[in-house]
Amino acid sequence: MTNIVIFGAPGSGKGTQSERLIDQYGLHHISTGDVLRSHMARGTELGKIAESFISQGQLIPDELMINILADVLDSNPAATQKGVIFDGFPRTIPQAKALNELLAKRGTEVHAVIGLEVDDEELVDRLIKRGQMSGRSDDNLETINKRLTVYHSQTSPLRDYYMTEGKYKAIEGKGSIDDIFNAIKKSIDQVSR
Ligand code: AMP
């Protein structure tokens, strides 16, 4: 059982690589972005709150986001036994600390953080293309720029946080999907249990 955080800026390939990792390792996928978009599509109260932040390129406040993640873990008790890919969570230091606590309570931990490293110019290119195909409301140039600013100020400090914990595995995120996946597999195979 291995718990992995797939980490990187918006557009770095977290979703694409998560899909492959699920197939390869049989892990349970938790994407907080998908959870929020599902609430938005169903028009729930939480969906309305999420929409107001997502459309501005801002993060959902930590306390709310941590409660949402705790609920997801509670409703999938088998997930942490099987191993989880956390995709899009944590995005702040308080979220990372909360994740450590949530997993410790379940007798487990984050085993590796796979950091997909891609430069901003490439990220913007990819997100604009994704917006044209997916129609995601936050994949427009103005919101993309805000999301990247938020990423650099609030999320990228997690790189050092997980480096200090000895868990951060830097992966060159530019290149073919297959090559990136093979590099990720090598890192995971070193920590798999
Ligand atoms: P994603 O699909 O991971 O790119 O997430 C889309 C949007 O959902 C983000 O730009 C945030 O507004 C929100 N979001 C997703 N995960 C989180 C999180 N862990 N903390 C705060 N906001 C989040």
Side-chain angles (χ1 to χ4, degrees):
M1 175 274 293
T2 310
N3 295 313
I4 293 161
V5 171
I6 188 136
F7 177 80
S12 59
K14 299 189 296 290
T16 305
Q17 294 297 338
S18 291
E19 280 172 26
R20 299 222 167 174
L21 290 168
I22 297 160
D23 289 347
Q24 177 81 24
Y25 296 99
L27 299 170
H28 183 89
H29 184 213
I30 298 179
S31 154
T32 43
D34 285 351
V35 171
L36 298 170
R37 280 185 291 275
S38 144
H39 276 277
M40 281 157 56
R42 286 179 280 134
T44 66
E45 269 317 299
L46 175 57
K48 287 177 198 149
I49 298 170
E51 164 89 59
S52 66
F53 289 98
I54 292 179
S55 62
Q56 296 302 311
Q58 299 296 329
L59 298 183
I60 276 67
D62 281 338
E63 197 187 337
L64 178 57
M65 201 64 236
I66 291 164
N67 285 335
I68 295 170
L69 185 80
D71 283 348
V72 173
L73 287 175
D74 283 343
S75 59
N76 297 285
T80 46
Q81 257 98 64
K82 207 164 116 180
V84 177
I85 300 184
F86 293 94
D87 168 1
F89 190 101
R91 267 180 153 97
T92 63
I93 301 275
Q95 289 183 17
K97 290 183 175 161
L99 182 60
N100 282 350
E101 283 169 25
L102 287 169
L103 292 179
K105 270 192 210 147
R106 290 162 177 81
T108 187
E109 61 177 320
V110 169
H111 296 104
V113 176
I114 301 296
L116 297 172
E117 305 198 339
V118 179
D119 60 77
D120 277 14
E121 204 181 320
E122 167 86 8
L123 292 170
V124 173
D125 254 24
R126 288 186 188 179
L127 288 166
I128 286 174
K129 285 194 189 116
R130 184 171 81 182
Q132 284 160 357
M133 290 187 335
S134 72
R136 249 177 77 162
S137 61
D138 55 349
D139 284 343
N140 61 75
L141 190 56
E142 193 188 344
T143 314
I144 290 168
N145 283 329
K146 281 193 198 151
R147 284 156 68 205
L148 288 178
T149 306
V150 166
Y151 172 78
H152 288 298
S153 62
Q154 299 188 52
T155 305
S156 67
L158 286 174
R159 188 178 188 275
D160 283 348
Y161 177 89
Y162 282 120
M163 283 270 199
T164 309
E165 289 200 343
K167 292 180 175 167
Y168 189 84
K169 319 277 176 200
I171 302 285
E172 166 59 58
K174 227 168 145 175
S176 82
I177 292 176
D178 282 343
D179 287 348
I180 298 167
F181 181 61
N182 285 331
I184 295 175
K185 262 198 316 199
K186 265 194 206 152
S187 286
I188 293 181
D189 290 341
Q190 284 165 8
V191 297
S192 279
R193 55 207 71 208

